[in-house]
Amino acid sequence: MRAARLFGILIGLLAVVIAVAYLLRMPLAGIAARSVMAGAGIENPKAEIAALSMDRIVLRDVAIGPNGANGIDIREIEARFNWRTVLQDRTVESINIGPGTIRAMVSPDGVVSLPGFISRNRDGNSSTVLPFSILHVSDLEIIIDTPEGVASGTLDADYDATTGGNAKIRIATERAGIPTHLVENSEFSLEASIDADDAVVAQGAFAGDAVTSSGILRDVDISIDANLLSWRSALSDGLSALSGQTQIDLKSATMNLAEVPATAVINSAQSEILFGGPVASLQLAGQINLRTAGGEIIADLGGRPLTIQADNGAALSVSENDVDALFHRTNTGDKASWAFDVSGGGMAVHGSVDAETTDDGWFVLAPVRLGDYDAERISFDDASAIVRVTTRPEGLTADITMTSALRVLSIGRMSVFDAPVETNFLIDANYANKTASISLPPDQCLTLTNARITIDQQDTEAKLKDATLCENNAPLAVVNWSDAMQSRFGGSLSAGGLQYRLGRTTINGRLPQIEFSGLYQPALHLTSITGDIAGGALVFNKFLVFSNADGLFDFKLDHQMMSATARMDRVRIVQNMDTPLVAPVLGKGTLQLYDRDVDFDYVLTTLLGERLGTGVGVHNVTTARGRSIFTFDRLEYVADGIQPSALAPVLKGVVGQTTGATTGEAEFEWAPNPIGLSSKANFQFEDITFVGPTRIVNQTIGVNGQMKLASLWPVKTDGVQTITVSGVDFGALQIIEAGEIRFDMPGDETL
């Protein structure tokens, strides 16, 4: 200890000075004093002998340090002694020090030094025998230079080896410390009394702001009461050898969430989830009792819980477990154990923590049970979790097993309702990179038997049944807070059942397999998702069935609207009817959703890949109204290719084998009931020859002309239609002369 070393130097100095003074008296005493200090490792020492006798010496203007006063600058040091004792035992009767200044320096990595003291390695421990019987220190100013500012104060002390003594120290600063740990507008004070058997009773206090890289504690008010058995053990063996009790009473401290990097990025929605409502600050209070003996440290809470109170009424209370101490340090490692309760803000949480040190960190086991919880952003009936955490210098890993009967969870504009969850997931956090990944154990997926999802301001709702979320060669989510907080996520989603509504537009059926990846940026209120679609079977507005899909999509949701684009490379389309009027077809195309309107274009082929034509359309999701125009390619009817009865099953038995070609255009409009679906079409026939119609006619030959339909379902012509025919074969009767056929289909299944 540097103070003990200083006293030793002073006593050694006295021994030499007394010997020199006996022979040479005062003229050379000052030179001897400076020589002894320099030889003992003191840089640039200065000292003047103001008075010297065989029982008393006074040193004036004692200065140590590069500039003569940077380390120690004491106006006067007086020692009274028996010269024989000084020479033989290196002890004096009394030392008076002061007034003066002692300056310490703190390096950026927290190492404390006294300018002017040259560091030397010494073998053995410091002696516990004091080189004086009486010590008096008065008006000693202490200055501490730190990378973040200067702290200053005073020290006064009186000590008598036979009766004990006392000491007072006070340090104040506007700002001081190292970059990662400092204090502001703070004051520290300590008063200690020492009795004759070296026991120490001390009372201290700290008031001010504590600033760290992890956050700021404002208006900290701490009092300290200590009862130590002997300070001499610490002098020889270090602070770990102290035995006694210390009570630290945290009367109050305020944590403003905006000043804590980990919580500054929390928005109102996340605050609702974490704290049950908006929270700006937390109040901390509690008491910790420390017992030290033989190098061991035991901590408890003194029978009263440590509390953290949020300004919305929510509170965290930490108490001791019935068996284990709050904290226990031994030569083999550290252990900690406590119980905690969260109440207020709609919360009711109870859990416990058991932790112990590992080679380079901690292992923590925390079973947690949550009662019914009901808040605007999150609520559930009952939930429990078992949390296993392993910390290391660069981060932590966690294994969490969770069961929850979730009623509602809202993140941003999206809310999930009625979703019982039972899952196991893993967390890996890296402090340096400021990232945390959330993943699932190998070969495990997250399952939801039921879930309902809505998006605010979008008039949309989805219901999932037997949904499964699995990883897709990457963690489910990676949270990054190195800059503006953001989360990347992805996975593979499937569901046995889907009911989806967007405005008055409905989609029902089996969800395709969706491989997706996305980015959530809370500060921008923006969610972006891209992915692949495969399989599924979905019914659009109860009319068309889309199945066996293969495509890509891109989705964006901001604070105002939802937009999406999709490209379908293949999808099977059929009418949602027991007996479809039109045969199943394959489609491909693109669609774009912007706000409430969907624009789309598509190409249709037969199931064998024969191209039928192209179409464009628009659909308003709010009103569920839309229209589409489909333009047929020139369809050539061949024996092993396209046939009318294959395109429209209702023509089976009516129209047989056909040759020739058809072009045309069909227009569809749809709206919710009672309007439903309406359609119209124009067809141009080119030398159409076909068997029938029905069994009455063997063959109809050379049909040409145009037919306008006012409706396809049911079939209705736009008035009387006229086509030309080259001939009609009735079997026994053959009409081979060209002629005209005029007909009308009024829409009641008659001709």
Side-chain angles (χ1 to χ4, degrees), residues 14 21 126 216 223 258 305 335 343 410 458 505 586 602 704:
L14 286 175
S126 300
I216 302 175
S223 64
K335 291 184 178 181
S343 61
S410 297
Q458 288 300 140
T505 301
L586 297 180
Y602 55 96
N704 287 276

Side-chain angles (χ1 to χ4, degrees), residues 17 146 233 261 363 517 526 557 573 719 725:
V17 169
T146 77
S233 56
F363 173 74
S517 62
L526 178 63
L557 176 68
I573 307 171
V725 182

Side-chain angles (χ1 to χ4, degrees), residues 9 93 97 104 214 260 331 364 436 484 589 623 648 665 668 708 716 720:
I9 293 171
E93 294 176 356
I97 300 176
S214 300
V260 179
N331 293 331
V364 180
T623 63
E665 182 179 89
F668 306 92
K708 295 182 179 181
K716 180 180 180 181
V720 176

Side-chain angles (χ1 to χ4, degrees), residues 190 200-204 224-228 244-247:
L190 181 68
V200 179
V201 177
Q203 292 84 36
I224 302 171
D225 289 282
N227 290 273
L228 307 177
Q245 299 186 29
T246 301
Q247 177 180 297

Side-chain angles (χ1 to χ4, degrees), residues 277-290:
V279 171
S281 65
L282 304 175
Q283 296 290 328
L284 288 71
Q287 176 182 303
I288 296 178
N289 294 332
L290 299 176

Side-chain angles (χ1 to χ4, degrees), residues 314 488 492 708 726:
R488 295 192 177 275
S492 176
K708 295 182 179 181
S726 298

